[in-house]
Amino acid sequence: MSDSTFIGTSNRGFAQQAQEELRRLLGQSVKFEWLAPGEVFVFTSEFERSDAIGRILAQEPVFLRHIQPVDVEQLWDGSFDHAIRHIHEMLVARGASLKQMNVAVQARKAEGEALASLSLPTVRSSVEEMLATVEANPVSRDADFILSLYFTEVKLYFGLSRPQDNLSDWSGGAIRFRKEEGQVSRAKFKLLEAEQAFGLDLSQYRAALDIGAAPGGWTSLLLERGLRVTAIDPAKLDAALLRHPQLTYFPKKADEVSFAANTFDLLVCDMSWSHRQMARLVRGLLGALQPGGTAVITVKLMHKKAFQTIREVVSDLAPELELQQAKQLFHNREELTLFLMKQV
Ligand SMILES: C[S@@+](CC[C@H](N)C(=O)[O-])C[C@H]1O[C@@H](n2cnc3c(N)ncnc32)[C@H](O)[C@@H]1O
């Protein structure tokens, strides 16, 4: 059996949880080496590459945000020209498989003074130009292959993979959304990312209950998707939203409101509360969610008890809500996001 090496990335401060997940999926023999402590690490598994990827994808981890396979680990002297020469050699060696393919070049580097002068955009554009020599087309999205580069002070890691094998097709899993003019809050990115990560199409829903809605980033996205939205928050909702004809706003706490059974087919909750209190408040409103309805909920985390927190909140919301997926999104900070469905 030949082993395989990858670079794994989590949100900052949650790499230990990601490594724990990898031990569970790939066995205790998996080895780790830090590239950016708490965030980026190399891991080597005794499984061959496709086996290791298969095990990771079959049970998608919560905290491991991104993986990139390592084909070659090359010592380098820190000079740009040296790096480019090596990358060229590696590319030419794989030229046949890249012919006529759309290739996205993703480059990252370790933090620190020694690499301060290495410009990643320059690396990317040089490598993109180089793709012509193997008759491949440089693209930024919808690639057939991703060419991943990671630079440390002493090494250059090179890997070529299919986007679906990286957990995310964004460099390091750092998904970016464009900030819009007049955007109510950055929190909107969390729901946008959840929509993609959980394969939801929010426009398919009819009526949403948004608990802890202010200032209104999530509410604004749900309105944009064409839903009727009931927003609950004792804090003020953005004034521009209040005029929206599809919005009903209760400036109240979650335990001060109630709704008829089955009023909503979507419940979202983004309260920065302790997870047990949040679960208690959500439970109190679950009757209003129709059977088969969806819930998207942010859960506040304490680092040391991340897995316990997930277990507790899932058990507090059961049996009415069944967990579909838990994921720490790139836009989550000390939290993660749950996607649940109400039992039919
Ligand atoms: C992180 S913010 C929500 C951001 C929002 N999702 C957005 O996109 O703009 C958390 C909100 O939860 C609200 N909140 C806290 N306790 C609450 C409660 N008991 N009932 C309803 N809302 C509550 C706070 O007032 C705060 O506005």
Side-chain angles (χ1 to χ4, degrees):
M1 194 157 58
S2 63
D3 58 11
S4 53
T5 299
F6 299 82
I7 293 174
T9 304
S10 71
N11 283 6
R12 188 166 291 196
F14 287 91
Q16 264 168 3
Q17 283 78 5
Q19 294 181 352
E20 199 173 323
E21 294 178 310
L22 284 168
R23 274 193 211 97
R24 236 178 277 152
L25 296 168
L26 303 176
Q28 294 299 322
S29 62
V30 56
K31 291 194 177 53
F32 300 102
E33 188 190 324
W34 288 116
L35 292 180
E39 193 175 8
V40 188
F41 52 89
V42 175
F43 65 96
T44 302
S45 147
E46 58 186 15
F47 293 101
E48 61 136 1
R49 179 192 290 191
S50 59
D51 255 6
I53 293 174
R55 282 165 181 264
I56 294 169
L57 296 184
Q59 236 184 301
E60 187 175 332
V62 178
F63 294 98
L64 183 67
R65 195 176 74 206
H66 181 264
I67 55 174
Q68 63 193 64
V70 175
D71 293 331
V72 182
E73 285 178 43
Q74 175 68 53
L75 289 171
W76 73 305
D77 62 5
S79 89
F80 181 78
D81 290 347
H82 191 186
I84 291 296
R85 211 168 48 243
H86 282 305
I87 296 166
H88 187 249
E89 281 164 18
M90 296 184 236
L91 258 185
V92 169
R94 287 157 186 80
S97 56
L98 294 177
K99 206 170 168 181
Q100 306 305 333
M101 294 289 166
N102 291 333
V103 179
V105 179
Q106 300 184 349
R108 295 190 291 159
K109 63 178 180 178
E111 284 170 8
E113 273 300 298
L115 292 169
S117 62
L118 180 73
S119 153
L120 294 178
T122 310
V123 169
R124 262 195 311 272
S125 59
S126 304
V127 178
E128 281 171 358
E129 275 174 31
M130 224 184 261
L131 286 174
T133 59
V134 292
E135 292 178 55
N137 318 308
V139 294
S140 49
R141 307 234 49 81
D142 299 321
D144 298 307
F145 283 98
I146 294 178
L147 193 171
S148 307
L149 303 165
Y150 194 101
F151 295 86
T152 71
E153 272 178 45
V154 289
K155 268 188 193 171
L156 158 58
Y157 295 86
F158 175 103
L160 203 56
S161 54
R162 296 279 185 181
Q164 60 270 26
D165 292 344
N166 287 19
L167 285 178
S168 163
D169 63 354
W170 290 80
S171 182
I175 180 167
R176 308 283 177 184
F177 298 105
R178 193 162 295 137
K179 191 161 187 313
E180 301 148 3
E181 204 163 315
Q183 183 170 320
V184 175
S185 72
R186 289 191 65 80
K188 181 178 184 179
F189 293 148
K190 276 193 269 183
L191 189 57
L192 270 169
E193 189 181 351
E195 190 179 26
Q196 288 201 12
F198 302 138
L200 300 171
D201 176 359
L202 292 174
S203 66
Q204 295 299 304
Y205 295 90
R206 167 180 58 80
L209 176 61
D210 186 353
I211 309 171
W218 287 29
T219 287
S220 70
L221 176 61
L222 296 168
L223 291 169
E224 277 165 34
R225 294 281 190 269
L227 281 75
R228 276 186 285 114
V229 181
T230 299
I232 304 168
D233 200 310
K236 277 208 178 86
L237 226 52
D238 188 86
L241 288 177
L242 293 176
R243 291 188 292 273
H244 201 291
Q246 299 269 79
L247 174 70
T248 309
Y249 167 44
F250 294 97
K252 292 190 168 187
K253 292 186 178 165
D255 56 3
E256 296 169 347
V257 291
S258 63
F259 301 95
N262 306 339
T263 307
F264 305 102
D265 57 355
L266 177 66
L267 179 154
V268 298
C269 176
D270 183 33
M271 272 186 309
S272 323
W273 266 55
S274 92
H275 63 287
R276 299 215 98 137
Q277 306 223 45
M278 177 277 291
R280 185 179 57 78
L281 292 172
V282 168
R283 276 200 79 87
L285 290 166
L286 273 186
L289 183 64
Q290 73 183 42
T294 296
V296 176
I297 297 177
T298 310
V299 180
K300 212 173 154 167
L301 286 177
M302 284 183 294
H303 284 245
K304 293 217 167 72
K305 295 189 175 161
F307 293 108
Q308 187 185 331
T309 303
I310 302 175
R311 280 194 298 275
E312 285 174 354
V313 74
V314 168
S315 120
D316 286 352
L317 295 171
E320 287 87 348
L321 289 185
E322 286 178 342
L323 182 68
Q324 308 298 306
Q325 201 182 338
K327 190 83 202 169
Q328 186 169 54
L329 305 172
F330 173 66
H331 291 281
N332 282 143
R333 291 293 168 244
E334 306 295 300
E335 48 184 39
L336 56 76
T337 304
L338 300 183
F339 160 37
L340 308 108
M341 280 175 80
K342 188 164 175 192
Q343 263 197 350
V344 183

